[in-house]
Amino acid sequence: RAKSGGRNQVVFFETGMQSEIELRLTMERELSQAMDGGQLQMYIQSQVDRLGTPVGGELLMRWHHPQRGPISPAIFIPVAEESGMIIRLGDWVLRQGCLALNQLAGAGFLLSLSVNVSPRQFRQPDFVDKVRLVLAETRADPHHLIFEVTEGLLIDNLHDTIARMRELATLGIRFSIDDFGTGYSSFSYLKKLPLYELKIDKSFVQDTPGDKNDTAIVQSMLSMAEHLGLRVVAEGVETRDQADFLIANGCSCMQGYLFGRPMPLDAWIDLQRKVALQPAMPVISAPEKS
Ligand code: C2E
Ligand code: MG
Ligand code: MG
Ligand code: MG
């Protein structure tokens, strides 16, 4: 499967590996070593309101391979998902998120943290128990935790998925549909699920406001979300024009390079302290360092 790999996948292929299976097995083995060897890092990217004030952040994993350099989660998350390693990775991310929430709460910030939860992770029989346990152990406040799930989660066992989401919602956790509009294309689930938020995928945002079709799609999504009472986060906002267009059409939150690249979690928490001392003003950030 040499699709969507980009540069990182090419690097893997160039090492002389024969087959896709070999590539996958190597990546699986190295990912397991990466977990134990501290090569995985928790990054976070700000989510801001219309004024550019941070309202929270999304936790995004980074893998710094000692020989191969940075490897994109777009490549290693699907491998982790298929091998089952996502369970360990997901546990780790959740714990990091809870600890970070405590740090933020301790510093007096009312910021939410969004955690990506993959379908396989969500479907673990003991997932709810695990979430309860980590909340109890860390004493983090679940009301500031948002789980981002994709439409792919809704393909099978919608009934069980809804029941489980409700159970987690009872704990205070909120749900967001990530990459909205790119997957399972039935709107019927929107009214059945206990949802808080929609994230408009960056593929729809990137050509606004110039492209007529994307402009119409984004406007419809914003209006639908408003009528359903859902918060919207537009992903991949890179230009002032995009932000102006989104704001003019009622988008409440944005996430993208215009407002900040993903950065190491600790540095982000420090930054919030500094930002809190300054007037709200979106800053065009430097490229993400890896
Ligand atoms: P996602 O959840 O949709 O995350 C948003 C992606 O958009 C991130 O890619 C982010 O770096 C990127 N992005 C943010 N702003 C911009 C922008 O202005 N322009 C462009 N072009 N891109 C932007 P990233 O960090 O490479 O992650 C890719 C995907 O990997 C994520 O997509 C998510 O599906 C998955 N992922 C990352 N971390 C985790 C994790 O801890 N657990 C799980 N299950 N999946 C994860
Ligand atoms: Mg996400
Ligand atoms: Mg997304
Ligand atoms: Mg995406």
Side-chain angles (χ1 to χ4, degrees):
R1 208 178 17 167
K3 57 161 201 182
S4 74
R7 192 157 43 93
N8 295 302
Q9 190 117 34
V10 172
V11 173
F12 261 94
F13 277 122
E14 278 171 359
T15 56
M17 275 173 264
Q18 300 297 308
S19 65
E20 203 181 301
I21 293 167
E22 200 180 341
L23 169 71
R24 177 165 297 264
L25 289 175
T26 302
M27 215 193 279
E28 276 179 31
R29 193 187 60 241
E30 294 192 349
L31 189 51
S32 170
Q33 292 164 354
M35 270 233 76
D36 302 326
Q39 296 166 26
L40 296 179
Q41 247 192 309
M42 211 63 256
Y43 270 45
I44 184 166
Q45 184 180 33
S46 290
Q47 298 173 333
V48 305
D49 67 13
R50 304 156 194 243
L51 299 174
T53 309
V55 293
E58 178 180 9
L59 292 170
L60 295 162
M61 227 184 291
R62 291 290 178 267
W63 179 6
H64 293 281
H65 192 289
Q67 283 87 42
R68 304 181 208 280
I71 300 172
S72 165
I75 291 169
F76 72 79
I77 293 289
V79 173
E81 175 84 8
E82 264 181 61
S83 68
M85 198 110 56
I86 194 70
I87 303 298
R88 275 178 72 203
L89 293 181
D91 289 351
W92 180 68
V93 174
L94 186 60
R95 184 167 294 272
Q96 296 292 306
C98 288
L99 295 172
L101 273 179
N102 286 345
Q103 275 185 276
L104 290 169
F109 294 114
L110 290 173
L111 297 168
S112 60
L113 289 184
S114 297
V115 171
N116 291 287
V117 177
S118 81
R120 184 149 177 186
Q121 191 187 352
F122 187 90
R123 291 194 184 115
Q124 293 171 86
D126 59 345
F127 183 61
V128 178
D129 292 334
K130 274 188 173 179
V131 172
R132 277 210 185 90
L133 189 65
V134 72
L135 286 169
E137 282 173 1
T138 59
R139 297 165 158 264
D141 183 356
H143 295 89
H144 298 295
L145 202 53
I146 298 176
F147 281 177
E148 294 190 3
V149 298
T150 52
E151 294 165 280
L153 181 66
L154 311 169
I155 293 171
D156 315 309
N157 294 321
L158 189 58
H159 182 80
D160 293 350
T161 300
I162 294 171
R164 182 163 290 193
M165 282 174 79
R166 292 219 173 106
E167 222 179 322
L168 290 162
T170 311
L171 301 177
I173 293 168
R174 288 171 289 172
F175 283 92
S176 173
I177 299 286
D178 203 355
D179 307 335
F180 181 68
T182 62
Y184 187 63
S185 57
S186 162
F187 287 143
S188 66
Y189 67 84
L190 282 176
K191 58 177 187 190
K192 293 186 191 146
L193 302 178
L195 290 182
Y196 169 69
E197 175 187 280
L198 293 184
K199 293 190 83 176
I200 301 183
D201 191 67
K202 55 178 172 285
S203 62
F204 299 111
V205 173
Q206 67 190 4
D207 293 328
T208 59
D211 185 274
K212 264 171 90 177
N213 294 331
D214 286 327
T215 300
I217 291 169
V218 170
Q219 281 171 328
S220 314
M221 287 178 175
L222 287 168
S223 134
M224 183 183 64
E226 194 195 329
H227 291 299
L228 291 168
L230 300 175
R231 182 171 91 153
V232 177
V233 177
E235 289 188 321
V237 181
E238 294 184 357
T239 69
R240 191 68 251 177
D241 282 352
Q242 290 165 354
D244 289 342
F245 162 74
L246 290 161
I247 293 166
N249 285 280
C251 185
S252 43
C253 298
M254 294 170 286
Q255 179 179 344
Y257 297 165
L258 179 66
F259 305 103
R261 300 257 170 173
M263 64 165 79
L265 183 55
D266 293 340
W268 186 82
I269 293 173
D270 286 343
L271 184 67
Q272 299 320 305
R273 296 199 175 93
K274 288 174 195 145
V275 168
L277 302 172
Q278 287 166 5
M281 185 173 58
V283 176
I284 297 173
S285 62
E288 178 180 342
K289 294 192 191 74
S290 48

